[in-house]
Amino acid sequence: MTKFGYFLGCEEHDPKELVRQAVLAERAGFESLWISDHYHPWLDEQGQSAFVWSVIGAISQAVSLPITTAVTCPLVRIHPAVVAQAAATSAVLTGGRFQLGVGTGEALNEHIIDSRWPPAAERLEMLEEAVELMRELWSGKLVTHRGTHYQLDTARLYTLPDSPPPVYVSGFGEKAVTLAGRIGDGYISAGPTAELVDLFRKSGGAGKPAQGGLKVCHAADEASARRTVHRLWPTQGIKGEASQLLPLPRHFEELAGMVSEEEATASTPCGPDPEAHLKSIREYVDAGFDEIYINQIGPQQDAFFEFYARDVLPRLR
């Protein structure tokens, strides 16, 4: 049976508000949580970007829902040995309800440590080595690692959960999805593409969970919802590799200035009609995703949770 979760957006909301939303999500009937992991927001207009590991710690004590990072990049900004420690601690705090979602990241967040942004093929190599290193550390053994991309000297994790946290790998292209199937305990995607889910399963992911996420905007009327999406997430209308390559929010703002409201909202259900929301979510169900995470754009969080508890989640089930 498909599970439905809420996607906490660290780019839009401060840490206390994210914890509050997690509580509201559980009360509304959502079954799990995604949480984004950024150093910068995509746009200054979004306005926030808290340290995700502190937020996860707080959420773990406020709700009983499983939590997945969507997604953490363990390549440049934070060494995989440190991510391994953070993930292990999160798994302990949640009683084993934590999944580490990983991906190859964006220059937007990673360039703060190193201005050289590796090409996609190299980042996939780095991701595979990083996952291997983290799993070795979760064994509790003393680890020394001399790899192609990472070095580690006599490191051991002492605070460990009963079982290592599952690693879910994000992928949007053929090579990344194939890697997800080969090394991941699950798959993460942000589009309802059945072909990618099929590729994941054929590449070693058969029987493993596939998680998908989408953004929506509930509001009193469709027009105001569309304006909110265009103001806060015009980046949805930016095509190609720009989201991986641009280093600063102002660069995204420059491109976003060329994105129309229609382009920004093309994949986002807007307004108070439950049928529009149900239609978009069912596209993910039909694509074969086992878990679907929904993010409400904008400040109308309380109204969103009431709307979904009353008009959307019961009909999905």
Side-chain angles (χ1 to χ4, degrees), residues 145-187:
H145 179 87
R146 299 285 182 264
T148 304
H149 301 286
Y150 300 106
Q151 311 295 312
L152 195 63
D153 182 63
T154 55
R156 178 185 171 190
L157 291 180
Y158 282 81
T159 299
L160 290 166
D162 293 335
S163 299
V167 179
Y168 288 23
V169 179
S170 172
F172 305 104
E174 182 177 337
K175 292 180 180 178
V177 176
T178 300
L179 179 68
R182 183 162 57 82
I183 72 168
D185 299 306
Y187 172 55

Side-chain angles (χ1 to χ4, degrees), residues 71-123:
V71 296
T72 292
C73 177
L75 305 189
V76 179
R77 172 169 52 106
I78 304 180
H79 192 283
V82 179
V83 175
Q85 185 184 29
T89 299
S90 297
V92 170
L93 283 168
T94 58
R97 292 175 286 106
F98 176 77
Q99 291 79 232
L100 177 63
V102 298
T104 55
E106 304 93 14
L108 175 71
N109 303 302
E110 306 302 303
H111 85 276
I112 62 166
I113 298 299
D114 188 349
S115 61
R116 176 186 175 269
W117 183 231
E122 184 177 344
R123 298 202 311 275

Side-chain angles (χ1 to χ4, degrees), residues 138-279:
W138 291 330
S139 72
K141 298 176 182 177
L142 191 68
V143 177
T144 294
H145 179 87
R146 299 285 182 264
T148 304
H149 301 286
Y150 300 106
Q151 311 295 312
L152 195 63
D153 182 63
T154 55
R156 178 185 171 190
L157 291 180
Y158 282 81
T159 299
L160 290 166
D162 293 335
S163 299
V167 179
Y168 288 23
V169 179
S170 172
F172 305 104
E174 182 177 337
K175 292 180 180 178
V177 176
T178 300
L179 179 68
R182 183 162 57 82
I183 72 168
D185 299 306
Y187 172 55
I188 288 177
S189 181
T193 309
E195 291 78 9
L196 295 182
V197 177
D198 291 341
L199 178 60
F200 167 70
R201 307 230 185 269
K202 291 174 182 176
S203 302
K208 300 175 183 178
Q211 298 182 341
L214 72 155
K215 293 185 179 295
V216 306
C217 189
H218 170 69
D221 60 87
E222 182 179 347
S224 64
R226 290 170 66 88
R227 288 194 297 271
T228 296
V229 174
H230 191 221
R231 176 173 65 85
L232 289 170
W233 287 94
T235 48
Q236 295 186 132
I238 297 174
K239 308 299 182 184
E241 296 182 70
S243 63
Q244 296 178 343
L245 302 178
L246 297 179
L248 289 172
R250 72 166 182 261
H251 299 138
F252 284 93
E253 288 168 4
E254 290 166 0
L255 279 187
M258 297 181 279
V259 174
S260 68
E261 183 178 286
E262 183 178 1
E263 290 168 329
T265 59
S267 62
T268 303
C270 293
D273 182 4
E275 288 300 329
H277 294 253
L278 290 163
K279 179 177 181 294

